[in-house]
Amino acid sequence: MTKKTKEAWKTYGNVFDEFTIRNLFELSSKGHFLDMKSPISIGKEANIFTAEKEDGSLIIVKIYRLENCDFNKMYDYIKYDARYLNLKSKRRDIIFSWAQREFRNLMKARESGARVPLPLVCKYNILLMEYIGGKEPAPQLKSAHPEDAKEFMDRVVDYMRKMYKAGLVHGDLSEFNILNLNENPVIIDMSQGTVTTSINAEELLVRDIKNIVRFSKKLGLKMSEEDIKKKIVS
Ligand SMILES: Nc1ncnc2c1ncn2[C@@H]1O[C@H](COP(=O)(O)OP(=O)(O)OP(=O)(O)O)[C@@H](O)[C@H]1O
Ligand SMILES: [Mg+2]
């Protein structure tokens, strides 16, 4: 694979705006990656690509779309975060802060000892992070049930505890945002993560716990919300 020219990046013109394409070109020029492969996910707010580096290894490029994303909803979520109380409801600022918040949350979670992708760079609405997977990206827990469900889910709860101790709540934890990497949980998608000093942190923590208990039942486990909460906060 060779370096892509500025002209060649313009073929993304039907997917992304000019500003985003220019920043993708700049990031690739700086050597963060050579080119992006086909998208592995097109979500409500972001498109996710794998990208190849010069040495053949892969990284993840998560691009929050500047157009056609629900920035009002984003604002409703981020405005309670104790770190972003002064944020104005300006479209671009919200989206840039949203990407930056995910970067900061990944860093904080990582430092806490929870297994999450290593964040690499955040530039405006573009987030680069470690790729989780082998030949194929690691599957979501939803479609790759663990062989030892108890051990796997206990580790998820341990990661929730570690994050909480470091002052962080995931806020959108479910079987969709946990990957199963060869029987090891990796927690992703931390854009809704908030600090425990935020007024809605408790509510988000309870929601995360409910999701984990609900999915654990599907795996045949008996976990109670009270026990998990105790484990996390005590
Ligand atoms: N670091 C990663 N390594 C491998 N696959 C990933 C990684 N990050 C995301 N993915 C894949 O892309 C999918 C979507 O990613 P993610 O959950 O971060 O975005 P999203 O749900 O679309 O985000 P949002 O809700 O913020 O729009 C994941 O379910 C996973 O399959
Ligand atoms: Mg997700």
Side-chain angles (χ1 to χ4, degrees):
M1 212 179 248
T2 50
K3 225 173 205 171
K4 245 166 102 143
T5 61
K6 198 166 192 170
E7 280 307 306
W9 277 103
K10 287 189 182 154
T11 52
Y12 280 106
N14 51 353
V15 191
F16 300 114
D17 58 287
E18 254 178 62
F19 176 83
T20 301
I21 293 172
R22 190 164 69 240
N23 286 310
L24 285 169
F25 167 69
E26 279 181 19
L27 286 164
S28 83
S29 306
K30 284 197 177 133
H32 292 294
F33 53 87
L34 288 174
D35 198 2
M36 303 194 304
K37 300 187 168 189
S38 51
I40 57 173
S41 159
I42 299 178
K44 292 178 301 298
E45 332 291 348
N47 296 22
I48 304 224
F49 297 82
T50 49
E52 202 172 313
K53 288 176 69 104
E54 203 138 21
D55 64 4
S57 64
L58 295 175
I59 62 164
I60 289 285
V61 183
K62 182 169 186 177
I63 305 169
Y64 285 100
R65 294 186 300 273
L66 292 182
E67 277 139 34
N68 134 44
C69 72
D70 192 347
F71 73 98
N72 285 316
K73 202 183 85 198
M74 286 173 158
Y75 184 60
D76 280 340
Y77 274 101
I78 201 171
K79 70 183 179 193
Y80 297 116
D81 189 314
R83 296 167 295 183
Y84 292 91
L85 295 177
N86 293 323
L87 188 67
K88 300 281 178 300
S89 64
K90 268 171 62 187
R91 184 191 183 91
R92 282 201 165 201
D93 292 351
I94 294 166
I95 301 169
F96 297 162
S97 301
W98 190 261
Q100 187 206 56
R101 181 162 81 143
E102 181 163 16
F103 182 92
R104 291 170 76 179
N105 289 342
L106 284 168
M107 200 60 100
K108 213 174 170 62
R110 182 109 189 157
E111 284 163 8
S112 80
R115 179 70 174 100
V116 302
L118 175 69
L120 302 169
V121 177
C122 179
K123 189 170 172 129
Y124 304 114
N125 54 326
I126 303 170
L127 179 60
L128 308 185
M129 69 180 107
E130 177 192 1
Y131 164 78
I132 304 298
K135 263 206 170 92
E136 298 294 323
Q140 294 171 324
L141 177 58
K142 160 186 80 95
S143 51
H145 292 188
E147 277 163 25
D148 187 339
K150 173 142 190 354
E151 208 250 349
F152 193 98
M153 296 312 288
D154 280 349
R155 282 172 72 188
V156 170
V157 172
D158 182 51
Y159 291 162
M160 292 170 79
R161 187 184 65 80
K162 286 189 158 87
M163 291 195 279
Y164 189 83
K165 297 288 168 219
L168 193 65
V169 173
H170 186 286
D172 190 25
L173 197 61
S174 74
E175 61 276 24
F176 292 87
N177 288 330
I178 301 170
L179 302 183
N180 182 344
L181 176 67
N182 309 318
E183 301 301 315
N184 300 297
V186 183
I187 294 179
I188 61 162
D189 199 359
M190 302 223 41
S191 61
Q192 292 191 40
T194 198
V195 285
T196 46
T197 47
S198 306
I199 53 165
N200 63 342
E202 169 81 14
E203 181 192 329
L204 292 176
L205 177 67
V206 170
R207 197 170 72 180
D208 285 352
I209 293 172
K210 279 189 196 299
N211 281 336
I212 292 305
V213 168
R214 177 191 43 75
F215 186 72
S216 295
K217 263 195 200 128
K218 260 197 187 162
L219 295 177
L221 300 175
K222 278 201 192 104
M223 286 175 134
S224 88
E225 284 175 30
E226 295 73 36
D227 285 353
I228 294 185
K229 190 160 184 199
K230 244 189 244 154
K231 272 192 191 140
I232 294 173
V233 305
S234 63

